[in-house]
Amino acid sequence: MASPDVRETSIAFTAPIVALALGHVISNTVRTLPAITADMLGRDLDVTAQGLASLTGAYNLSFALAQIPIGVALDRFGVRRTALALIAVIALGTVLAAIAGGAAGFLLGQVVLGLGCAGMLICPVTYAAKNLSAARFGLWSGLIQAIGNSGMLLSASPLALLVEAAGWRAGYWASAALALAAIALVALLVHDRPSAAQGRSPAREAREVLRIMASPPLRGAAILAFSSFAAVIGVRGLWGGPWLMEMKGLPRVEAGNILLLATTALVVGPALWGIADRRLGHRRALLIAGHVGAAVCLALVALGGPGGPFGALRPAWDGAMLLSFDLMISVQPLVFAMARTAVSADSAGKAMSAINLAFFSGAALLQAASGPVVAAGGIGSGLVFFALAIAASTTAFILLTRRPA
């Protein structure tokens, strides 16, 4: 076997990672597309803001429910076959969303997209976890997230321009074309083999995913993950666009430009945190610092809105705080690195899906909960809601992961 240093820099290792991460690009694109098309979707589907939150929350719910079977499939059938099947489901979901004639059709598209996208992060993460030592995995978990988060760049200004010209359905048709390209690349470049014992029943392996998530080494990380991605998707995937357009009075493309600038931090941030993890260590301290900073930045966005204690600050304030929020919350891939240290390479798929289950069950529940909060107190209240959720889960993480005296 090649040494980790050679493996990390070889085309044989990096090309499959990039091909698999393209699926994560598509996943981030389709899950954040409603943020820049919320007004069009509400009008065409005849739903309120709270109804739209519920419709898009269905994506996260089906995403979370799929984590356990996907974790089992990755270890039983391998990354390649699992990824190809899931990307085909994404292609179907984008078509269903694009042709939806009402709320029910769009809901079906969201459910199918959630099922397909459920493995688009853990497929490349599991591939890396099975081929790298636990010490070297932290950097690559950040790099994979950085590649995948570029999908949020696509759903900012580029798709805002496409949507302005051709409507929100065009965004889903463009995503379908990307899915077909990803299928071709994964089929061509990714080669692996299953590692789990075929004699073990799927039900037993599914229970193993839950056992890993509830185990003492992963319990604190899972609770931190519960609010971490929920805040990202709540801001970037739903309320960020309406905040800038409705509360700050920006046109769609200008709002997309601010979201595009802020989202660059979600592309470079994970890689920077991964480098810090490798060079500095202190993974627990990095996770705490990043999440505390993210909660503060998100609260400051709301405080600078109409009626806030700072008064209605200029949109530059929102851009700076959203950029800082995205940079701080980009520490979240290190949660996967914490999980990797707790299991063997043969169980990496189940461990990664256990953490992803925590990430997206939190996203589903907290995004749905944000709808009534926004309906009662406005979009600023929704942003504060996510800031408080981060603060609460970070406190729990600190308590559960502290070392005995």
Side-chain angles (χ1 to χ4, degrees):
M1 179 181 292
S3 68
D5 288 321
V6 173
R7 184 179 294 275
E8 280 186 275
T9 57
S10 67
I11 295 297
F13 176 73
T14 57
I17 288 286
V18 173
L20 290 166
L22 179 57
H24 189 36
V25 171
I26 302 167
S27 175
N28 276 316
T29 300
V30 298
R31 79 161 58 98
T32 55
L33 187 57
I36 206 66
T37 60
D39 57 332
M40 290 183 175
L41 284 169
R43 182 177 62 251
D44 289 356
L45 301 178
D46 193 24
V47 295
T48 64
Q50 185 173 346
L52 184 59
S54 298
L55 288 176
T56 55
Y59 170 101
N60 294 315
L61 182 60
S62 65
F63 193 114
L65 293 175
Q67 292 306 310
I68 293 177
I70 288 173
V72 173
L74 284 167
D75 287 336
R76 288 181 69 89
F77 307 118
V79 174
R80 183 179 188 272
R81 284 190 284 177
T82 303
L84 287 172
L86 291 174
I87 300 172
V89 174
I90 292 175
L92 173 62
T94 55
V95 172
L96 290 173
I99 64 175
F106 189 77
L107 175 64
L108 176 61
Q110 290 294 296
V111 170
V112 174
L113 280 171
L115 294 173
C117 292
M120 291 300 95
L121 173 58
I122 55 173
C123 281
V125 164
T126 299
Y127 186 90
K130 289 177 178 291
N131 288 280
L132 294 173
S133 67
R136 295 186 175 276
F137 175 65
L139 174 60
W140 274 96
S141 67
L143 292 174
I144 291 167
Q145 188 80 296
I147 296 170
N149 283 350
S150 65
M152 297 188 193
L153 296 178
L154 292 178
S155 64
S157 296
L159 281 185
L161 293 170
L162 177 63
V163 167
E164 280 286 287
W168 61 268
R169 298 177 192 275
Y172 287 103
W173 286 118
S175 299
L178 284 175
L180 295 178
I183 289 174
L185 288 173
V186 170
L188 178 66
L189 298 173
V190 179
H191 304 283
D192 72 334
R193 62 174 183 233
S195 58
Q198 294 297 313
R200 300 171 66 181
S201 70
R204 179 181 173 186
E205 292 195 67
R207 290 193 298 270
E208 184 71 5
V209 174
L210 297 176
R211 187 198 67 78
I212 289 173
M213 185 171 68
S215 65
L218 267 70
R219 196 175 300 153
I223 290 176
L224 184 64
F226 186 82
S227 71
S228 184
F229 188 72
V232 174
I233 202 62
V235 175
R236 182 60 189 84
L238 188 58
W239 301 120
W243 171 264
L244 293 172
M245 289 186 283
E246 296 175 21
M247 305 304 293
K248 291 304 181 81
L250 295 179
R252 187 186 317 279
V253 174
E254 286 187 29
N257 289 338
I258 289 180
L259 292 175
L260 176 64
L261 175 63
T263 304
T264 58
L266 291 174
V267 176
V268 301
L272 294 177
W273 285 107
I275 292 170
D277 175 66
R278 177 169 292 191
R279 294 188 176 179
L280 303 177
H282 304 290
R283 185 172 291 162
R284 176 177 179 271
L286 292 175
L287 283 165
I288 293 170
H291 284 86
V292 170
V296 170
C297 292
L298 200 52
L300 289 174
V301 174
L303 293 175
F310 299 163
L313 299 179
R314 295 176 64 83
W317 168 265
D318 303 271
M321 289 301 100
L322 290 173
L323 177 67
S324 300
F325 165 75
D326 287 344
L327 183 61
M328 300 303 290
I329 203 68
S330 293
V331 72
Q332 62 193 200
L334 296 186
V335 179
F336 285 110
M338 288 191 73
R340 174 62 184 89
T341 62
V343 300
S344 66
D346 285 350
S347 297
K350 289 187 282 291
M352 298 303 104
S353 65
I355 293 299
N356 227 26
L357 174 60
F359 272 124
F360 283 91
S361 59
L365 294 175
L366 294 181
Q367 183 167 322
S370 73
V373 172
V374 169
I379 299 174
S381 297
L383 299 180
V384 172
F385 169 77
F386 284 111
L388 292 175
I390 296 172
S393 64
T394 304
T395 301
F397 174 76
I398 293 171
L399 296 175
L400 290 171
T401 57
R402 63 184 177 182
R403 295 177 180 176

